[in-house]
């Protein structure tokens, strides 16, 4: 499992049951079959949003990587 640090911002926009959420990846892991799962903190309502682990799905997710380049 890879945990993202304070400067490793990966934002993933996700639609769950037709509702849009903006998410920030907290961690990811790669399964032996090549799939990647992300642990997402979701907004606009983190207390009610279905946060947790999500398998990457190109049909309902978009990803923007704001990580700082290696120095």
């Amino acid at each position: 499992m890879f945990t993202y640090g304070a400067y490793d911002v990966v934002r993933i926009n996700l639609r769950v049951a037709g509702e849009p959420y903006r998410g920030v990846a907290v961690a990811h892991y790669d399964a032996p079959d090549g799939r990647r799962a992300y642990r997402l903190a979701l907004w606009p309502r983190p207390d009610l949003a279905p946060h947790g682990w999500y398998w990457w799905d190109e049909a309902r997710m978009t990803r923007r990587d704001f990580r700082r380049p290696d120095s």
Side-chain angles (χ1 to χ4, degrees):
M1 181 171 68
F2 177 83
T3 302
Y4 294 97
Y7 299 108
D8 298 325
V9 179
V10 176
R11 188 171 73 206
I12 295 176
N13 296 324
L14 169 67
R15 293 190 77 81
V16 177
E19 294 295 320
Y21 292 94
R22 182 178 65 238
V24 174
V26 178
H28 78 256
Y29 73 89
D30 296 317
D33 63 3
R35 294 184 304 158
R36 176 168 282 186
Y38 286 96
R39 180 157 183 80
L40 299 178
L42 298 174
W43 283 265
R45 292 288 308 272
D47 57 329
L48 299 176
H51 60 281
W53 287 99
Y54 288 88
W55 290 109
W56 176 256
D57 179 353
E58 291 183 11
R60 63 187 188 129
M61 292 179 171
T62 56
R63 173 181 161 160
R64 295 185 70 191
D65 194 332
F66 297 99
R67 288 183 286 181
R68 290 185 177 178
D70 293 333
S71 300

